[in-house]
């Protein structure tokens, strides 16, 4: 039996919740194109993201620790895959469109600069007066302008719903002649899955690197509760095995909380369609009040003890100086960016073109480029 696209769309209609985004109700693509015989619109979106050059470059971009500093430490690519995994779990539990939630998750960091948030902050400073730099909007720019699927049209020509999911810091959403206040539930799920993944896994990497200690974490309520659970289930368990099990428990606890709290908000809101969700003044996907407080405490701990730790912050600051060196060189000698990049100069301006060029670099390529300029 062959399951064609029409069969997949019919299956969605039968199993998805009323407030889920059905692919049959998609607002479509900016540039019309024939539908695929075997794959839905969101499945094609996912494939286009995975096959993009920007996605491949994520393997060599920093998450927290500079790329290459440890074999087991996460990169922007492994983080992205973990976000996609968490997104599917939450979407499935809530009866949402898993393909759409996963596709948004896979695309959410395409626009990240080299050297993580430190690199983003430096580029934002360099672009002051020229529109700034923010990685979510850059992800959108990559799929709409920079990547190319066909020579006739710019970008990857992704669905409206995926691109909507990348505008998570915009105020309001416009679709045709309609205005909405919130994105789809699938977009909200991908956004929160990002937070769940990076706090739990940054914590794991901080312990792996020896910059955090389990003793220090006893002051964090969420860690303490998860530790008690592991000890009750596996008495006497310690070391790396204990830590890995605790991180799993932490993610499970957060995911279960999000699913339960979100299901209650959906019921209380009375939404009956994906557009009802978009008309809500507040996001429906989120933690319970108790879990939100615990996460705020964990976030504060990570900033104080990991993100601002000298062994993390100082190398990242030195790397950000390299970003500035290469960016300024692009302004002084635009020809170093190559003709394909310079083709956008007349339309977008020199500063934005240079920002696109530098932000798209991997850590190692930027360091090599900076070395050649020294």
């Amino acid at each position: 039996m062959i399951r064609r696209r029409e069969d997949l769309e019919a299956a969605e209609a039968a199993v998805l919740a009323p407030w889920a985004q059905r692919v049959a109700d998609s607002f479509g693509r900016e540039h019309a194109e024939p539908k695929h015989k075997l794959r839905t619109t969101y499945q094609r979106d996912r494939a286009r993201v995975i096959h993009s050059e920007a996605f491949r470059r994520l393997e060599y971009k920093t998450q927290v620790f500079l790329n290459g500093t440890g074999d087991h430490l996460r990169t922007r690519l492994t983080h992205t895959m973990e976000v996609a995994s968490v997104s599917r779990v939450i979407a499935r539990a809530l009866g949402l469109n898993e393909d759409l939630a996963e596709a948004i998750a896979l695309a959410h960091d395409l626009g990240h600069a080299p050297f993580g948030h430190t690199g983003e902050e430096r580029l934002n400073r360099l672009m002051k007066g020229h529109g700034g730099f923010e990685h979510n909007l850059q992800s959108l720019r990559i799929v709409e302008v920079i990547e190319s699927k066909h020579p006739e049209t710019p970008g990857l020509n992704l669905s409206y719903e995926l691109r909507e999911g990348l505008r998570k810091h915009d105020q309001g959403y416009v679709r045709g002649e309609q205005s909405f206040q919130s994105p789809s539930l699938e977009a909200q799920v991908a956004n929160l899955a990002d937070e769940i993944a990076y706090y739990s896994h940054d914590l794991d990497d901080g312990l792996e690197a020896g910059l955090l200690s389990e003793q220090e974490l006893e002051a964090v309520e969420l860690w303490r509760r998860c530790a008690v659970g592991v000890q009750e289930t596996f008495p006497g368990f310690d070391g790396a095995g204990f830590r890995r099990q605790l991180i799993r428990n932490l993610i499970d606890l957060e995911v279960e909380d999000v699913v339960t709290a979100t299901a209650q908000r959906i019921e209380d809101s009375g939404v009956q369609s994906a557009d009802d969700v978009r008309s809500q003044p507040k996001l429906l996907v989120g933690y319970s009040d108790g879990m939100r407080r615990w996460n705020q405490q964990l976030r504060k701990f990570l900033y104080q003890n990991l993100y601002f730790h000298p062994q993390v912050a100082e190398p990242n600051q030195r790397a950000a100086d390299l970003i500035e060196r290469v960016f300024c060189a692009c302004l002084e000698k635009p020809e170093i960016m190559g003709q394909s990049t310079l083709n956008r100069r007349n339309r977008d301006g020199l500063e934005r073109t240079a920002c696109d060029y530098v932000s798209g670099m991997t850590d190692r390529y930027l360091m090599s480029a900076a070395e050649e300029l020294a």
Side-chain angles (χ1 to χ4, degrees), residues 27 160 173-181 275 278-279:
F27 196 62
Y160 166 85
Y173 296 80
V174 178
R175 188 187 65 192
E177 298 180 354
Q178 292 179 288
S179 297
F180 297 105
Q181 294 177 277
D275 279 356
R278 293 184 172 91
S279 298

Side-chain angles (χ1 to χ4, degrees), residues 83 86-87 90 168 185-199 254-255 257-259 262 265 283-288 295:
V83 175
V86 174
S87 295
I90 297 175
K168 62 182 181 181
L185 288 172
E186 288 80 3
Q188 296 179 42
V189 164
N191 186 29
L192 197 60
D194 182 27
E195 180 177 316
I196 291 172
Y198 71 69
Y199 282 150
E254 292 193 318
V255 167
D257 179 90
V258 167
V259 169
T262 299
R265 288 193 198 96
L283 301 180
L284 297 176
V285 176
Y287 304 110
S288 65
N295 269 288

Side-chain angles (χ1 to χ4, degrees), residues 10-77:
E12 278 191 3
V15 301
L16 294 186
W19 41 82
Q21 176 62 54
R22 288 166 169 77
V23 71
D25 298 330
S26 172
F27 196 62
R29 306 185 188 277
E30 184 176 1
H31 305 283
E33 59 182 65
K35 293 187 176 181
H36 197 274
K37 293 180 179 179
L38 301 178
R39 294 182 294 164
T40 69
T41 295
Y42 303 145
Q43 289 171 347
R44 296 181 79 187
D45 282 351
R46 177 180 58 200
R48 290 179 186 185
V49 169
I50 290 174
H51 290 291
S52 69
E53 292 181 356
F55 187 80
R56 295 196 294 275
R57 289 196 299 268
L58 294 177
E59 182 177 2
Y60 300 106
K61 288 195 174 187
T62 290
Q63 174 65 13
V64 173
F65 297 89
L66 291 185
N67 184 253
T69 55
D71 289 346
H72 298 155
L73 300 176
R74 288 166 175 83
T75 66
R76 191 62 58 180
L77 178 61

Side-chain angles (χ1 to χ4, degrees), residues 81-335:
M81 294 167 68
E82 289 163 345
V83 175
S85 176
V86 174
S87 295
R88 288 197 76 103
V89 171
I90 297 175
R92 184 182 303 121
L94 292 171
L96 305 179
N97 195 311
E98 294 180 48
D99 288 336
L100 175 57
E102 182 186 24
I104 295 170
L106 290 170
H108 86 282
D109 266 356
L110 291 180
H112 237 298
F115 310 123
H117 288 285
T118 304
E120 177 174 14
E121 291 166 3
R122 182 63 60 90
L123 270 179
N124 186 46
R125 194 184 82 188
L126 292 167
M127 288 294 291
K128 186 177 181 180
H130 301 283
F133 177 81
E134 203 273 336
H135 80 271
N136 294 296
L137 295 180
Q138 188 67 14
S139 296
L140 188 64
R141 182 168 169 77
I142 284 173
V143 302
E144 290 186 336
V145 177
I146 298 174
E147 287 276 349
S148 180
K149 181 179 183 293
H150 294 295
E152 298 87 358
T153 59
L156 299 177
N157 199 27
L158 302 179
S159 68
Y160 166 85
E161 291 76 28
L162 190 148
R163 292 180 289 119
E164 172 194 50
L166 300 181
R167 295 187 182 96
K168 62 182 181 181
H169 295 314
D170 278 5
Q171 294 297 314
Y173 296 80
V174 178
R175 188 187 65 192
E177 298 180 354
Q178 292 179 288
S179 297
F180 297 105
Q181 294 177 277
S182 297
S184 67
L185 288 172
E186 288 80 3
Q188 296 179 42
V189 164
N191 186 29
L192 197 60
D194 182 27
E195 180 177 316
I196 291 172
Y198 71 69
Y199 282 150
S200 58
H201 294 136
D202 291 354
L203 174 60
D204 192 23
D205 283 353
L207 289 163
E208 171 78 19
L211 303 188
L212 302 177
S213 72
E214 295 178 15
Q215 290 73 26
E216 292 175 314
L217 282 160
E218 286 297 325
V220 178
E221 181 68 22
L222 188 54
W223 171 276
R224 192 162 57 245
R225 286 176 177 263
C226 291
V228 169
V230 175
Q231 290 162 356
E232 289 178 350
T233 307
F234 305 101
F237 203 33
D238 58 13
F242 171 84
R243 186 182 75 237
R244 285 191 290 269
Q245 186 60 44
L246 190 147
I247 297 298
R248 284 195 289 267
N249 283 15
L250 191 154
I251 295 171
D252 282 347
L253 185 65
E254 292 193 318
V255 167
E256 290 173 10
D257 179 90
V258 167
V259 169
T260 301
T262 299
Q264 187 62 56
R265 288 193 198 96
I266 291 172
E267 182 178 345
D268 293 343
S269 71
V271 297
Q272 290 300 315
S273 70
D275 279 356
D276 283 350
V277 171
R278 293 184 172 91
S279 298
Q280 293 296 302
K282 294 183 179 180
L283 301 180
L284 297 176
V285 176
Y287 304 110
S288 65
D289 290 341
M291 182 61 74
R292 185 181 300 109
R293 287 193 297 271
W294 294 347
N295 269 288
Q296 288 171 345
Q297 185 190 29
L298 175 60
R299 182 178 187 272
K300 182 178 179 180
F301 176 89
L302 288 172
Y303 270 92
Q304 291 176 341
N305 297 279
L306 180 61
Y307 303 141
F308 293 152
H309 192 288
Q311 291 187 41
V312 173
E314 291 175 6
N316 282 335
Q317 285 299 327
R318 291 195 296 270
D321 291 340
L322 301 183
I323 286 180
E324 185 162 350
R325 181 192 301 174
V326 176
F327 179 85
C328 292
C330 290
L331 300 184
E332 294 171 5
K333 297 181 179 180
E335 63 273 12

